[in-house]
């Protein structure tokens, strides 16, 4: 029997809201993440997919403590079985937890990129080997971020994150700006790192590439996760998925001829009661207006009362 894997990251019932001005001087809390739960185990890549604006990057920021000052959070985030609070983050960020941000602006503009990648925990020898792997010339280490192309800057960020062997990598759209071959090589490298024990939370729009390396796929919709299932189910076809949105999402991919569905994702400030997908769902019923818990169905998890 396969040895059970240790849970590295566990997010339970996460709620994120932003205190914002609505009209005049009236402020209100705009809830953008709702009752979200997800976990990442050692030796596992969990890919997060979904349309733009569904809250994927906000989840990464909440885990890493990077939310702005007007944000409020609820629920819990545990790392290696302990709460990931501000004190714990200071201990593990940059060493045990690595972050690949979506924006290349995270590079220090007044520091050469070589020393940035080496930091205080690694060596120039390791940095040069990683630059070689990601097709970065040795002279790049003496450049400043403004001298890099977008693709070069992204490869520098990836190099910094995987230079050592962290226990958890959170990668927020790591492949835009890379060639298809280099993007695939990057994700294959992630797969190798995961096989050696690291857990990886991969936020991506490169869904076809994620299908080749991820163990599970989590589908985001309107600020929460509607389905988490083995990647193999997505590769087999939409009839093997559990949530109507997951099925529609898969059908809308280019290889499936961009099959659209009517309607739009609801705005965070005007969410419907019950199922957030109900107004676009072909299987909607009276049961969809009540509470919609996450439950286990056919080896996956789904937020749908009608899924079988």
């Amino acid at each position: 029997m396969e040895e059970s894997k240790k849970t590295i990251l566990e997010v339970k019932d996460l709620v994120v809201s932003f205190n914002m001005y609505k009209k005049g001087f009236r402020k209100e809390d705009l809830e953008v993440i709702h009752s979200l739960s997800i976990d990442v185990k050692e030796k596992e890549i969990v890919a997060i997919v979904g349309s733009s604006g569904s809250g994927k990057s906000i989840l990464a920021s909440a885990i890493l403590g990077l939310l702005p000052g007007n944000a409020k959070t609820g629920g819990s985030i545990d790392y290696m079985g302990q709460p990931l609070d501000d004190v714990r983050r200071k201990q593990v960020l940059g060493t045990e937890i690595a972050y690949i941000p979506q924006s290349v602006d995270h590079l220090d503009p007044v520091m050469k990129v070589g020393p940035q990648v080496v930091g205080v925990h690694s060596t120039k020898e390791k940095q040069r080997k990683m630059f070689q792997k990601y097709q970065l010339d040795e002279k790049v280490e003496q450049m400043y971020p403004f001298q890099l192309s977008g693709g070069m800057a992204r490869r520098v960020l990836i190099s910094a994150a995987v230079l050592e062997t962290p226990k958890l990598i959170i990668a927020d759209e790591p492949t835009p700006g890379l060639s298809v071959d280099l993007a695939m090589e990057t994700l294959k490298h992630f797969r190798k790192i995961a096989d050696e024990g690291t857990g990886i939370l991969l936020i991506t729009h490169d869904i076809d590439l994620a299908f080749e390396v991820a163990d599970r796929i989590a589908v985001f919709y309107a600020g929460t996760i509607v389905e988490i299932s083995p990647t193999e189910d997505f590769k087999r076809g939409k009839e093997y998925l559990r949530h109507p949105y997951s099925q529609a999402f898969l059908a809308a991919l280019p290889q499936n001829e961009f099959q659209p569905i009517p309607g739009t994702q609801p705005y965070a400030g005007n969410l419907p009661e019950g199922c957030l997908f109900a107004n676009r769902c072909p299987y909607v019923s009276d049961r969809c207006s009540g509470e919609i818990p996450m439950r286990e169905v056919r080896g996956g998890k789904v937020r749908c009362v009608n899924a079988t």
Side-chain angles (χ1 to χ4, degrees), residues 50-85:
S51 61
S52 297
S54 56
K56 302 185 297 297
S57 293
I58 294 176
L59 169 62
S61 295
I63 295 169
L64 295 162
L66 299 177
L67 292 171
N70 66 327
K72 298 179 181 179
T73 62
S76 64
I77 302 173
D78 289 354
Y79 167 71
M80 301 298 292
Q82 298 181 358
L84 188 59
D85 54 21

Short mmCIF file of all heavy atoms in Angstrom, two decimals, residues 50-85:
data_model
loop_
_atom_site.label_atom_id
_atom_site.label_comp_id
_atom_site.label_asym_id
_atom_site.label_seq_id
_atom_site.Cartn_x
_atom_site.Cartn_y
_atom_site.Cartn_z
N GLY A 50 -8.91 28.60 -13.88
CA GLY A 50 -10.17 29.34 -13.83
C GLY A 50 -10.04 30.63 -14.61
O GLY A 50 -8.94 31.03 -15.01
N SER A 51 -11.14 31.28 -14.84
CA SER A 51 -11.13 32.50 -15.63
C SER A 51 -10.46 33.63 -14.87
O SER A 51 -10.32 33.61 -13.64
CB SER A 51 -12.56 32.88 -16.02
OG SER A 51 -13.33 33.13 -14.86
N SER A 52 -10.04 34.66 -15.60
CA SER A 52 -9.45 35.85 -14.98
C SER A 52 -10.47 36.50 -14.04
O SER A 52 -11.66 36.54 -14.34
CB SER A 52 -9.03 36.84 -16.05
OG SER A 52 -8.03 36.29 -16.88
N GLY A 53 -9.97 36.99 -12.91
CA GLY A 53 -10.85 37.66 -11.95
C GLY A 53 -11.57 36.74 -10.99
O GLY A 53 -12.42 37.19 -10.21
N SER A 54 -11.22 35.45 -11.01
CA SER A 54 -11.92 34.51 -10.12
C SER A 54 -11.29 34.43 -8.73
O SER A 54 -11.85 33.79 -7.84
CB SER A 54 -11.95 33.12 -10.76
OG SER A 54 -10.64 32.66 -11.07
N GLY A 55 -10.13 35.06 -8.53
CA GLY A 55 -9.54 35.11 -7.19
C GLY A 55 -8.31 34.25 -6.99
O GLY A 55 -7.85 34.10 -5.86
N LYS A 56 -7.74 33.71 -8.05
CA LYS A 56 -6.62 32.79 -7.92
C LYS A 56 -5.39 33.45 -7.28
O LYS A 56 -4.78 32.91 -6.36
CB LYS A 56 -6.25 32.21 -9.29
CG LYS A 56 -7.39 31.49 -9.99
CD LYS A 56 -6.97 30.84 -11.28
CE LYS A 56 -6.50 31.81 -12.34
NZ LYS A 56 -7.56 32.75 -12.78
N SER A 57 -5.03 34.64 -7.76
CA SER A 57 -3.85 35.32 -7.23
C SER A 57 -4.08 35.83 -5.82
O SER A 57 -3.13 35.94 -5.02
CB SER A 57 -3.44 36.47 -8.15
OG SER A 57 -3.00 35.98 -9.40
N ILE A 58 -5.32 36.16 -5.47
CA ILE A 58 -5.63 36.60 -4.11
C ILE A 58 -5.37 35.47 -3.12
O ILE A 58 -4.89 35.69 -2.01
CB ILE A 58 -7.07 37.11 -4.01
CG1 ILE A 58 -7.24 38.38 -4.85
CG2 ILE A 58 -7.47 37.39 -2.56
CD1 ILE A 58 -8.65 38.91 -4.91
N LEU A 59 -5.67 34.23 -3.53
CA LEU A 59 -5.36 33.08 -2.68
C LEU A 59 -3.86 33.02 -2.38
O LEU A 59 -3.46 32.85 -1.22
CB LEU A 59 -5.81 31.79 -3.36
CG LEU A 59 -5.32 30.49 -2.71
CD1 LEU A 59 -5.84 30.35 -1.28
CD2 LEU A 59 -5.73 29.28 -3.55
N ALA A 60 -3.04 33.18 -3.41
CA ALA A 60 -1.58 33.15 -3.21
C ALA A 60 -1.14 34.26 -2.26
O ALA A 60 -0.34 34.02 -1.34
CB ALA A 60 -0.87 33.29 -4.56
N SER A 61 -1.67 35.46 -2.44
CA SER A 61 -1.31 36.57 -1.57
C SER A 61 -1.74 36.34 -0.12
O SER A 61 -1.03 36.71 0.81
CB SER A 61 -1.95 37.87 -2.09
OG SER A 61 -1.43 38.21 -3.36
N ALA A 62 -2.91 35.71 0.06
CA ALA A 62 -3.38 35.42 1.41
C ALA A 62 -2.46 34.41 2.10
O ALA A 62 -2.14 34.56 3.29
CB ALA A 62 -4.81 34.88 1.36
N ILE A 63 -2.03 33.40 1.38
CA ILE A 63 -1.13 32.40 1.96
C ILE A 63 0.19 33.04 2.38
O ILE A 63 0.73 32.76 3.45
CB ILE A 63 -0.88 31.26 0.96
CG1 ILE A 63 -2.18 30.49 0.70
CG2 ILE A 63 0.20 30.31 1.49
CD1 ILE A 63 -2.08 29.52 -0.47
N LEU A 64 0.70 33.93 1.53
CA LEU A 64 2.02 34.52 1.74
C LEU A 64 2.01 35.77 2.61
O LEU A 64 3.06 36.34 2.90
CB LEU A 64 2.64 34.84 0.38
CG LEU A 64 2.93 33.62 -0.50
CD1 LEU A 64 3.10 34.04 -1.95
CD2 LEU A 64 4.15 32.88 -0.01
N GLY A 65 0.82 36.23 3.02
CA GLY A 65 0.75 37.42 3.84
C GLY A 65 1.02 38.69 3.06
O GLY A 65 1.55 39.67 3.62
N LEU A 66 0.65 38.71 1.78
CA LEU A 66 0.94 39.85 0.91
C LEU A 66 -0.29 40.68 0.59
O LEU A 66 -0.25 41.52 -0.31
CB LEU A 66 1.58 39.35 -0.40
CG LEU A 66 2.91 38.61 -0.25
CD1 LEU A 66 3.38 38.11 -1.60
CD2 LEU A 66 3.97 39.52 0.39
N LEU A 67 -1.38 40.46 1.29
CA LEU A 67 -2.59 41.23 1.05
C LEU A 67 -2.40 42.67 1.54
O LEU A 67 -1.66 42.92 2.49
CB LEU A 67 -3.77 40.59 1.77
CG LEU A 67 -4.22 39.23 1.24
CD1 LEU A 67 -5.25 38.62 2.19
CD2 LEU A 67 -4.80 39.34 -0.16
N PRO A 68 -3.07 43.62 0.90
CA PRO A 68 -2.95 45.03 1.35
C PRO A 68 -3.58 45.26 2.71
O PRO A 68 -4.30 44.40 3.24
CB PRO A 68 -3.69 45.79 0.24
CG PRO A 68 -4.65 44.81 -0.35
CD PRO A 68 -3.96 43.48 -0.27
N GLY A 69 -3.35 46.44 3.25
CA GLY A 69 -3.79 46.75 4.60
C GLY A 69 -5.29 46.77 4.79
O GLY A 69 -5.76 46.62 5.93
N ASN A 70 -6.05 46.96 3.72
CA ASN A 70 -7.51 47.01 3.86
C ASN A 70 -8.16 45.64 3.74
O ASN A 70 -9.38 45.53 3.67
CB ASN A 70 -8.12 47.96 2.83
CG ASN A 70 -7.95 47.44 1.40
OD1 ASN A 70 -6.97 46.79 1.08
ND2 ASN A 70 -8.91 47.75 0.53
N ALA A 71 -7.34 44.58 3.72
CA ALA A 71 -7.88 43.22 3.60
C ALA A 71 -8.17 42.62 4.97
O ALA A 71 -7.47 42.87 5.94
CB ALA A 71 -6.89 42.33 2.86
N LYS A 72 -9.24 41.83 5.01
CA LYS A 72 -9.58 41.05 6.20
C LYS A 72 -9.67 39.59 5.80
O LYS A 72 -10.15 39.27 4.70
CB LYS A 72 -10.92 41.50 6.79
CG LYS A 72 -10.95 42.95 7.27
CD LYS A 72 -12.34 43.30 7.81
CE LYS A 72 -12.43 44.73 8.27
NZ LYS A 72 -13.79 45.07 8.77
N THR A 73 -9.22 38.70 6.67
CA THR A 73 -9.26 37.28 6.35
C THR A 73 -9.93 36.49 7.47
O THR A 73 -9.92 36.91 8.63
CB THR A 73 -7.85 36.70 6.12
OG1 THR A 73 -7.08 36.83 7.33
CG2 THR A 73 -7.14 37.42 4.99
N GLY A 74 -10.52 35.38 7.08
CA GLY A 74 -11.10 34.44 8.04
C GLY A 74 -10.70 33.03 7.62
O GLY A 74 -10.13 32.82 6.56
N GLY A 75 -11.02 32.06 8.46
CA GLY A 75 -10.60 30.70 8.18
C GLY A 75 -9.20 30.45 8.70
O GLY A 75 -8.70 31.20 9.56
N SER A 76 -8.55 29.42 8.18
CA SER A 76 -7.21 29.08 8.67
C SER A 76 -6.30 28.66 7.53
O SER A 76 -6.74 28.13 6.51
CB SER A 76 -7.30 27.94 9.70
OG SER A 76 -7.80 26.76 9.10
N ILE A 77 -4.99 28.93 7.73
CA ILE A 77 -3.95 28.50 6.80
C ILE A 77 -2.86 27.84 7.62
O ILE A 77 -2.25 28.48 8.49
CB ILE A 77 -3.36 29.68 6.01
CG1 ILE A 77 -4.46 30.41 5.21
CG2 ILE A 77 -2.26 29.21 5.06
CD1 ILE A 77 -3.99 31.69 4.54
N ASP A 78 -2.63 26.56 7.40
CA ASP A 78 -1.62 25.81 8.14
C ASP A 78 -0.49 25.38 7.21
O ASP A 78 -0.73 24.98 6.06
CB ASP A 78 -2.22 24.56 8.78
CG ASP A 78 -3.14 24.89 9.96
OD1 ASP A 78 -3.21 26.07 10.34
OD2 ASP A 78 -3.79 23.96 10.46
N TYR A 79 0.73 25.46 7.73
CA TYR A 79 1.92 24.98 7.01
C TYR A 79 2.60 23.93 7.88
O TYR A 79 2.92 24.21 9.04
CB TYR A 79 2.86 26.14 6.71
CG TYR A 79 4.23 25.70 6.25
CD1 TYR A 79 4.43 25.12 5.00
CD2 TYR A 79 5.33 25.84 7.09
CE1 TYR A 79 5.68 24.71 4.60
CE2 TYR A 79 6.60 25.43 6.69
CZ TYR A 79 6.77 24.87 5.45
OH TYR A 79 8.02 24.44 5.05
N MET A 80 2.76 22.76 7.37
CA MET A 80 3.37 21.63 8.10
C MET A 80 2.66 21.40 9.43
O MET A 80 3.28 21.13 10.46
CB MET A 80 4.87 21.87 8.31
CG MET A 80 5.66 22.06 7.03
SD MET A 80 5.63 20.61 5.94
CE MET A 80 6.57 19.43 6.89
N GLY A 81 1.32 21.54 9.42
CA GLY A 81 0.53 21.24 10.60
C GLY A 81 0.46 22.35 11.63
O GLY A 81 -0.18 22.19 12.67
N GLN A 82 1.08 23.52 11.35
CA GLN A 82 1.06 24.63 12.28
C GLN A 82 0.50 25.87 11.59
O GLN A 82 0.69 26.05 10.38
CB GLN A 82 2.47 24.93 12.81
CG GLN A 82 3.09 23.79 13.60
CD GLN A 82 4.48 24.15 14.11
OE1 GLN A 82 4.99 25.22 13.84
NE2 GLN A 82 5.09 23.24 14.85
N PRO A 83 -0.16 26.76 12.34
CA PRO A 83 -0.71 27.97 11.73
C PRO A 83 0.38 28.80 11.05
O PRO A 83 1.45 29.02 11.62
CB PRO A 83 -1.31 28.72 12.92
CG PRO A 83 -1.61 27.65 13.93
CD PRO A 83 -0.51 26.64 13.78
N LEU A 84 0.08 29.24 9.84
CA LEU A 84 1.02 30.08 9.11
C LEU A 84 0.68 31.54 9.40
O LEU A 84 0.06 32.24 8.60
CB LEU A 84 0.95 29.78 7.60
CG LEU A 84 2.01 30.45 6.72
CD1 LEU A 84 3.41 30.05 7.14
CD2 LEU A 84 1.76 30.11 5.25
N ASP A 85 1.10 31.99 10.57
CA ASP A 85 0.86 33.38 10.96
C ASP A 85 2.07 34.24 10.57
O ASP A 85 3.03 33.76 9.96
CB ASP A 85 0.56 33.48 12.46
CG ASP A 85 1.64 32.83 13.32
OD1 ASP A 85 2.79 32.66 12.83
OD2 ASP A 85 1.36 32.50 14.48
#
